[in-house]
Amino acid sequence: MNSFSSGIAALTTFALSTIVPVIHAGEPADTPPPAAIKDCLAKPGSSECLDLLFRAGLEKLSPGELLKSIENYGDDDPKLRLSCHPIVHALGREIFRLKGNIHDAFMACNQTCHSGCYHGAVERFLRGDGAHLARHVGQSEIVSKAAAACDAKAPLRVYFQCLHGLGHAVMYFTENQIDKSLEACDSLPDDWSRDSCYGGVFMENLFSSNPDKRHISPTDYHFPCNEVAPKYRGACYLIQTWRMEEMGLKTERLFEECRKAGPFETQCAQSIGRDLSNLARGGNSRPAAESCERVQGEPRRACIRGVVFALIDNTWDNRYVLPFCSALREEDSAYCNQESGNYLRMFVGR
């Protein structure tokens, strides 16, 4: 797996929890309160509830103020950082509703909560405002919309967020049919773009606002990755350890299952690192480092990359990465810093 492909993998990052947000001192009065956000997340169809919250919020506050407030909730409680991505998706949907086009919506968004604002904007671009629309859009139209959705001339990190958000959005159009959604991604012009879109499809499958539509197995740790065609499996395994954790596996067992992924062990191990990044962001860099150090060779390096890339993806700088790299053993620390620099130069231009 080369560094460019690893960079794609790094950006497909978030996890979900139901922790109760706490109020951050000095938040604008019109910010949706944590209790209301929690109530929405607890509902089977949380998307519409969150949309309405942010629709009201945007009547009084700017997108930047709302994004900052959500980030502050996570600063108050590190565990909230695990649940903010679907929240910011909703804000992105509402920003697109106001702006009316991808360019202006993206200008109003930022990378908060793993760039969920960008993903939500693309989702609203494709799906429109009515939940009934998915039932009236044919596969040929989905493919056509997907091919024209993102601007390849945009900065690489922004282009990626559009492509990844596209993967989330086509799952809405196909009513969570993985095969048809991947087919829409196949309309994109190159492997990098297609892989970026595939990642959004598999992420949406695991984090669907309608749990009944998830394409998962109660017993098979590798499903659906072991069911889809081989060209899709790398992207699938880059998110699959979240599902394994949901099924009760801890770090040591996760690495064991990744070994069973065969040629996709590296992507699977990088997915473990991505999940561990939440531990590092919460101020627990050494425990995160120790978890990666449980294995040797390429899986160990992939785990480190997963942590590094996910941490940078949250802020587009190295504020969380430096403590993590320092917590690793000497040789691993050097590798960590090297990959951090490479990633920043490739996707952020620093």
Side-chain angles (χ1 to χ4, degrees):
M1 192 178 193
N2 61 38
S3 59
F4 201 62
S5 298
S6 297
I8 297 174
L11 288 159
T12 55
T13 303
F14 76 87
L16 186 63
S17 89
T18 56
I19 193 73
V20 181
V22 295
I23 297 175
H24 189 275
E27 289 303 321
D30 296 298
T31 302
I37 293 173
K38 180 196 171 186
D39 287 344
C40 285
L41 289 173
K43 295 179 179 179
S46 61
S47 296
E48 183 177 358
C49 180
L50 288 169
D51 286 356
L52 291 174
L53 274 183
F54 288 114
R55 188 170 302 178
L58 285 166
E59 292 179 358
K60 301 288 184 65
L61 301 173
S62 71
E65 287 174 316
L66 288 168
L67 286 162
K68 184 61 178 176
S69 293
I70 296 168
E71 185 178 32
N72 286 341
Y73 293 157
D75 288 341
D76 280 332
D77 189 336
K79 293 184 179 179
L80 179 60
R81 297 168 188 166
L82 305 179
S83 61
C84 65
H85 188 85
I87 299 169
V88 181
H89 252 260
L91 179 54
R93 289 192 295 268
E94 287 305 302
I95 290 171
F96 181 86
R97 188 183 64 83
L98 288 177
K99 301 295 184 180
N101 63 81
I102 287 288
H103 174 78
D104 289 338
F106 271 34
M107 291 297 292
C109 288
N110 64 28
Q111 79 286 351
T112 297
C113 299
H114 301 282
S115 299
C117 184
Y118 297 113
H119 305 166
V122 177
E123 181 184 348
R124 180 56 60 88
F125 164 71
L126 285 181
R127 75 180 236 187
D129 289 316
H132 64 283
L133 292 178
R135 304 182 185 277
H136 302 292
V137 178
Q139 183 68 6
S140 61
E141 185 177 350
I142 293 171
V143 170
S144 175
K145 284 176 176 276
C150 300
D151 181 7
K153 297 178 181 179
L156 187 61
R157 65 180 182 272
V158 175
Y159 183 45
F160 171 83
Q161 299 302 344
C162 183
L163 294 167
H164 183 81
L166 176 64
H168 283 272
V170 295
M171 282 285 276
Y172 172 84
F173 268 118
T174 66
E175 297 185 295
N176 284 55
Q177 296 183 66
I178 291 178
D179 289 345
K180 288 187 176 181
S181 297
L182 294 172
E183 180 185 336
C185 294
D186 283 334
S187 68
L188 296 169
D190 56 74
D191 288 343
W192 187 85
S193 299
R194 290 188 286 269
D195 283 345
S196 301
C197 183
Y198 299 156
V201 169
F202 290 115
M203 187 178 289
E204 181 62 26
N205 180 56
L206 292 186
F207 299 100
S208 173
S209 61
N210 187 341
D212 293 337
K213 289 188 175 183
R214 296 201 301 169
H215 195 54
I216 57 178
S217 166
T219 57
D220 187 346
Y221 299 124
H222 297 262
F223 186 88
C225 301
N226 54 3
E227 180 191 66
V228 297
K231 69 176 180 178
Y232 304 126
R233 290 181 187 175
C236 184
Y237 272 110
L238 284 167
I239 189 67
Q240 188 65 13
T241 58
W242 188 93
R243 173 59 185 156
M244 294 179 187
E245 287 189 69
E246 186 182 41
M247 295 172 73
L249 298 190
K250 303 301 182 185
T251 302
E252 187 171 346
R253 280 293 312 280
L254 292 173
F255 280 117
E256 289 178 8
E257 290 302 321
C258 284
R259 284 194 287 272
K260 298 176 185 178
F264 305 100
E265 180 181 3
T266 297
Q267 289 94 330
C268 187
Q270 188 163 321
S271 178
I272 295 174
R274 184 209 57 249
D275 295 338
L276 289 170
S277 72
N278 294 306
L279 191 63
R281 289 179 65 218
N284 297 294
S285 289
R286 184 56 196 155
E290 288 174 343
S291 293
C292 286
E293 290 169 353
R294 292 185 183 189
V295 292
Q296 301 296 324
E298 183 53 30
R300 180 172 178 143
R301 290 187 288 272
C303 180
I304 292 171
R305 290 197 301 272
V307 177
V308 167
F309 297 160
L311 292 176
I312 293 175
D313 188 41
N314 272 272
T315 60
W316 291 347
D317 60 34
N318 62 3
R319 74 183 74 169
Y320 292 118
V321 172
L322 292 175
F324 172 70
C325 291
S326 296
L328 290 161
R329 303 179 192 279
E330 184 176 353
E331 181 178 345
D332 292 328
S333 180
Y335 178 75
C336 181
N337 284 310
Q338 173 186 310
E339 289 301 304
S340 172
N342 290 341
Y343 184 83
L344 283 166
R345 284 189 293 274
M346 184 178 297
F347 286 98
V348 186
R350 301 177 188 170

